[in-house]
DNA sequence: GCCGTTTTCGGCCCGACTGTTTTCAGTCG
């Protein structure tokens, strides 16, 4: 169970936030943040560890180990509880607004009693912030914009959070005696980048037992509804989970129905009507006789409609029905097609694990090749130097020689400067097996400048992949503005791949742009951008995004055999 | 609060950007 590490990471982060808001020592804040990341990204489950074991985690010393131990034993940390009584949760939530940090949040709370995003919005509109030190007109404008950004994702969460819940709930329910089948459906199964609620479907001969098990799961904080065939709960993370129990012989029809999307279902039901059939969550029925024809298997349901089974990620009514009826559906890329990861970090820059551990974990995933691409000096906070890069290369070559099963590639993640320039000169870049280049600053350039900037990066003969091209962070930062068709054409012309960054709060390039880019002949790399061992598993979200972008394996360079990949990586 | 050690204290990522505070504080990556 990974959940415990993430829970504790969340608590440590909350503790760090609360120390920051109360004006505590900034170094202490940073230590708790570092500890939170270390615990969240730690390769082993912390549940059951004693204090000594906990102290082996980087950045966890005596004090933090004691707090974690207290949490594991009692379910709470008394110092955290104490801070919580002093600072309303809404004040901490204020800091999720971009441009609003702990200092301003505390000032708003102390001087104006603002303890929620709603109150802040109201206070700005009422002119109640006037006279406050550091809150001018532009600041108010930025805050309103920030609130807007948060509202756009609304109560939705990124797929990583929702999937973590589903990965807990589905096995737990599957283990309940009498449960025959259980799976998640809905937008999560379609691999959408944000998820409103988690839909879980099950069949059981005794639905009551399953419902009781569901509503009493340990991380359920609120039972919204508890019925015979449908129950809804809210988890500790605030996410709603719906469970529907259907008869065993309705499984396929129910899974099809609850997977959606709504638009896709409208189309499938229309097709059914044309065939004198009726499609519902209970099955495919003959309209004339009312007789049920099939419902047990999803492929059979589609088959009755004259359609092949359709990959869930394609079910958005954006052409999949027409393709299924006509030229055929694409054979979209799957996780099994992925032969390697081309964008990852180590503790040489901002990663958590050393090169050896990352490579070991990559090999355990069965990869044929694996690229280490730590940050370049332009991100000055990472303190990278050419010497460090060369030393890492030596270390990587030795490790590669000792590990014949998987090819290690030495790369870097360059910074694309405001004019499209990158950190190192051509002669130094020539020494790398692979250069990824990404935007890490100046996110608000006008579209024309941003387009020139990205195109120029593509034109650099050593840049082979543009990392997280829109630089969006879901619920946090808007995508940069660019003339994407021009960028796509530059990629196709120069042989530069666009990345699908699989980090669940990025999923960048987003699926709609992936599909447009693929239509203009662009190639892709699906990368984890892992900063810790567990992040390597995020690859599945990148693959889901690629599927939603209708990508076939041939368009994804890290499904290619090494020889073909190396040919692609050769500087132009 | 953690870590490394010149090992029980001193340093901790640091520069850019923004808005507004006329000299800098807050936020971000």
């Amino acid at each position: 169970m990974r959940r415990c590490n993430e829970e504790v990471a969340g608590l440590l982060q909350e503790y760090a936030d609360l120390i920051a808001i109360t004006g505590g020592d900034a170094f202490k804040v940073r230590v708790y943040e570092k500890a939170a990341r270390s615990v969240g990204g730690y390769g082993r489950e912390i549940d059951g560890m004693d204090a000594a074991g906990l102290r082996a985690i980087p950045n966890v010393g005596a004090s933090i180990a004691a707090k974690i131990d207290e949490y594991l034993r009692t379910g709470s940390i008394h110092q955290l509880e104490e801070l919580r009584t002093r600072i309303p949760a809404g004040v901490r939530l204020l800091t999720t607004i971009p441009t609003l940090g702990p200092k301003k949040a505390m000032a708003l709370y102390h001087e104006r009693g603002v303890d929620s995003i709603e109150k802040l919005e109201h206070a700005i509109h009422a002119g109640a912030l006037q006279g406050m030190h550091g809150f001018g007109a532009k600041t108010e404008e930025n805050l309103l914009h920030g609130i807007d950004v948060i509202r756009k994702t609304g109560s939705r969460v990124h797929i990583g959070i929702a999937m973590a819940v589903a990965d807990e709930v589905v096995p737990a329910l599957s283990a309940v005696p009498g449960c025959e089948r259980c799976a998640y459906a809905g937008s999560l199964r379609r691999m959408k980048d944000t998820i409103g609620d988690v839909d879980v479907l099950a069949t059981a001969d005794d639905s009551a037992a399953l419902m009781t098990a569901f509503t009493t799961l340990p991380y359920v904080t609120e039972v919204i509804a508890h019925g015979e065939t449908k129950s809804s709960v809210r988890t500790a993370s605030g996410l709603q989970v719906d469970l529907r129990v259907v008869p065993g012989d309705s499984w396929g029809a129910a899974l099809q129905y609850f997977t959606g999307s709504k638009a896709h279902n409208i189309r499938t039901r229309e097709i059914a009507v044309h065939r004198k059939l009726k499609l519902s969550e209970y099955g495919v029925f003959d309209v004339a006789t009312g007789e049920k024809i099939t419902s047990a298997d999803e492929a059979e349901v589609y088959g009755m409609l004259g359609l092949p089974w359709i990959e869930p990620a394609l079910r958005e009514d954006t052409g999949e029905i027409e393709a299924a009826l006509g030229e055929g559906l694409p054979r979209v890329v799957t996780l099994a097609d992925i032969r390697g990861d081309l964008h990852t970090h180590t503790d040489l820059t901002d990663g958590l694990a050393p090169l050896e551990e990352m490579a070991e974990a990559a090999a355990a995933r069965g990869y044929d090749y694996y690229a280490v691409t730590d940050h370049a000096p332009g991100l000055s906070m990472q303190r990278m130097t050419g010497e460090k890069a060369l030393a890492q290369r030596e270390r990587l070559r030795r490790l590669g020689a000792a590990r014949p099963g998987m090819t290690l590639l030495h790369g870097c993640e360059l910074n694309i400067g405001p004019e499209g320039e990158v950190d190192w000169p051509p002669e130094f870049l020539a020494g790398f097996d692979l250069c990824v280049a990404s935007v890490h600053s100046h996110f608000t350039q006008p579209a024309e400048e941003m387009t020139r900037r990205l195109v120029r990066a593509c034109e650099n003969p050593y840049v082979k992949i543009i990392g997280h091209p829109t630089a969006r962070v879901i619920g946090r930062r808007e995508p940069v503005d660019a003339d994407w068709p021009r960028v796509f054409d530059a990629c196709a012309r120069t042989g530069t791949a666009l990345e699908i960054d699989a980090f669940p709060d990025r999923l960048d390039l987003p699926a709609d742009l992936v599909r447009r880019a693929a239509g203009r002949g662009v190639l892709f790399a699906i990368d984890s951008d892992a900063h810790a061992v567990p992040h390597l598993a995020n690859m599945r979200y990148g693959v889901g995004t690629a599927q939603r972008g209708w990508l076939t394996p041939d368009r994804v360079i890290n499904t290619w055999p090494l020889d073909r990949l190396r040919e692609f990586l050769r500087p132009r």
Side-chain angles (χ1 to χ4, degrees):
Chain A
M1 297 228 307
R2 283 227 36 83
R3 189 166 190 81
C4 206
N5 289 41
E6 277 149 25
E7 259 172 33
V8 169
L11 293 172
L12 293 175
Q13 181 61 52
E14 182 183 353
Y15 196 64
D17 291 346
L18 293 178
I19 296 170
I21 290 169
T22 53
D25 177 19
F27 290 117
K28 200 161 143 182
V29 173
R30 209 173 294 160
V31 165
Y32 275 97
E33 286 177 340
K34 275 161 72 177
R37 282 196 303 275
S38 292
V39 170
Y42 198 54
R44 285 190 288 280
E45 169 58 36
I46 59 168
D47 196 14
M49 281 188 183
D50 59 11
L54 292 168
R55 289 199 59 175
I57 303 170
N59 304 305
V60 174
S63 175
I64 294 180
K67 289 185 178 69
I68 299 175
D69 187 53
E70 182 186 349
Y71 177 73
L72 294 178
R73 283 185 294 103
T74 69
S76 70
I77 300 169
H78 71 274
Q79 292 103 321
L80 176 59
E81 297 300 330
E82 198 272 324
L83 272 181
R84 280 175 174 171
T85 64
R86 287 170 50 195
I87 304 296
V91 176
R92 182 176 171 238
L93 269 180
L94 289 177
T95 64
T96 62
I97 300 171
T99 73
L100 180 57
K103 295 288 192 296
K104 283 186 171 154
M106 196 54 171
L108 287 166
Y109 178 52
H110 261 167
E111 296 175 34
R112 294 294 187 274
V114 172
D115 61 3
S116 72
I117 292 173
E118 290 68 30
K119 279 189 190 170
L120 173 59
E121 192 177 28
H122 184 258
I124 294 171
H125 287 311
L129 303 190
Q130 275 162 28
M132 277 185 78
H133 189 77
F135 287 81
K138 187 68 188 177
T139 299
E140 291 188 344
E141 191 187 320
N142 288 343
L143 290 176
L144 288 175
H145 176 71
I147 292 171
D148 209 39
V149 168
I150 290 179
R151 294 255 168 87
K152 270 188 189 155
T153 44
S155 55
R156 298 178 76 85
V157 298
H158 68 65
I159 189 171
I161 293 172
M163 193 67 88
V165 170
D167 283 346
E168 291 282 331
V169 171
V170 170
L173 295 182
S174 299
V176 173
C179 177
E180 292 154 0
R181 306 183 75 160
C182 183
Y184 60 84
S187 53
L188 187 58
R189 185 166 179 239
R190 301 200 313 277
M191 297 295 268
K192 272 198 75 169
D193 48 11
T194 64
I195 309 292
D197 51 35
V198 176
D199 290 308
V200 179
L201 189 65
T203 67
D205 38 3
D206 179 6
S207 78
L210 201 58
M211 286 303 179
T212 301
F214 176 61
T215 53
T216 56
L217 288 169
Y219 32 84
V220 166
T221 56
E222 182 192 349
V223 178
I224 300 164
H226 186 156
E228 207 173 303
T229 62
K230 184 190 168 189
S231 293
S232 297
V233 301
R234 200 176 304 284
T235 66
S237 55
L239 194 59
Q240 183 174 328
V241 185
D242 296 341
L243 171 66
R244 291 158 200 271
V245 178
V246 298
D249 64 354
S250 295
W251 174 258
L255 188 59
Q256 197 280 330
Y257 178 80
F258 290 116
T259 297
S261 63
K262 195 171 176 180
H264 175 87
N265 284 353
I266 289 170
R267 294 297 305 277
T268 52
R269 274 175 267 155
E270 279 172 3
I271 292 170
V273 170
H274 279 293
R275 296 184 157 236
K276 309 262 187 273
L277 301 169
K278 184 187 81 168
L279 172 62
S280 77
E281 60 266 50
Y282 300 105
V284 180
F285 298 84
D286 184 313
V287 170
T289 66
E291 191 184 342
K292 180 151 84 174
I293 302 167
T294 186
S295 58
D297 176 74
E298 210 181 42
E300 281 177 17
V301 169
Y302 278 104
M304 284 307 299
L305 306 178
L307 295 168
W309 180 80
I310 299 175
E311 188 73 49
L314 300 179
R315 300 183 195 174
E316 298 290 346
D317 188 28
T318 53
E320 75 280 7
I321 301 286
E322 289 74 9
L325 292 171
E327 76 271 26
L329 290 161
R331 201 295 253 170
V332 292
V333 62
T334 67
L335 199 54
D337 295 316
I338 301 294
R339 294 184 193 239
D341 199 333
L342 299 177
H343 178 181
T344 71
H345 297 270
T346 74
D347 60 1
L348 182 62
T349 55
D350 59 350
L352 286 168
L355 166 64
E356 290 75 12
E357 277 180 32
M358 294 299 284
E360 189 62 39
R365 292 181 64 82
Y367 287 152
D368 294 339
Y369 44 82
Y370 181 74
V372 173
T373 55
D374 271 313
H375 288 288
L379 270 186
S380 52
M381 59 182 172
Q382 305 300 351
R383 291 183 150 182
M384 183 54 131
T385 63
E387 293 71 38
K388 285 188 188 176
L390 294 175
Q392 183 186 53
R393 187 174 304 159
E394 277 309 302
R395 189 168 153 194
L396 179 138
R397 298 286 184 236
R398 282 198 303 277
L399 184 63
R403 166 178 284 300
M406 181 178 78
T407 300
L408 284 171
L409 301 171
H410 191 235
C412 61
E413 185 184 9
L414 300 164
N415 305 288
I416 305 176
E419 306 294 327
E421 73 280 16
V422 298
D423 314 56
W424 276 313
E427 56 273 20
F428 195 78
L429 296 181
F432 288 100
D433 298 320
L434 158 69
C435 298
V436 179
S438 318
V439 167
H440 290 118
S441 64
H442 303 84
F443 300 111
T444 55
Q445 280 180 325
E448 184 58 32
E449 281 174 37
M450 186 62 77
T451 304
R452 270 203 310 274
R453 179 181 181 187
L454 289 168
V455 167
R456 191 172 157 214
C458 289
E459 287 169 344
N460 185 315
Y462 295 98
V463 170
K464 288 298 170 181
I465 297 172
I466 303 293
H468 46 73
T470 78
R472 74 165 177 174
V473 180
I474 293 171
R476 188 80 197 160
R477 185 166 66 218
E478 297 279 86
V480 299
D481 198 6
D483 182 347
W484 291 110
R486 266 172 63 201
V487 175
F488 298 155
D489 290 346
C491 288
R493 171 170 54 83
T494 59
T496 309
L498 284 176
E499 182 174 72
I500 298 175
D501 188 309
F503 230 90
D505 65 354
R506 285 192 183 267
L507 296 179
D508 186 11
L509 205 60
D512 55 335
L513 289 176
V514 169
R515 195 164 166 198
R516 285 168 61 192
R520 299 178 94 95
V522 176
L523 294 169
F524 294 85
I526 308 174
D527 299 328
S528 73
D529 194 2
H531 285 64
V533 167
H535 299 164
L536 292 172
N538 289 337
M539 185 62 87
R540 64 169 165 168
Y541 305 124
V543 169
T545 301
Q547 291 179 339
R548 291 180 62 82
W550 290 48
L551 286 191
T552 56
D554 197 54
R555 304 222 65 83
V556 179
I557 64 172
N558 52 321
T559 69
W560 295 354
L562 180 63
D563 288 352
R564 188 176 174 199
L565 177 68
R566 279 206 192 273
E567 187 61 32
F568 174 83
L569 295 178
R570 188 173 297 172
R572 294 172 294 277

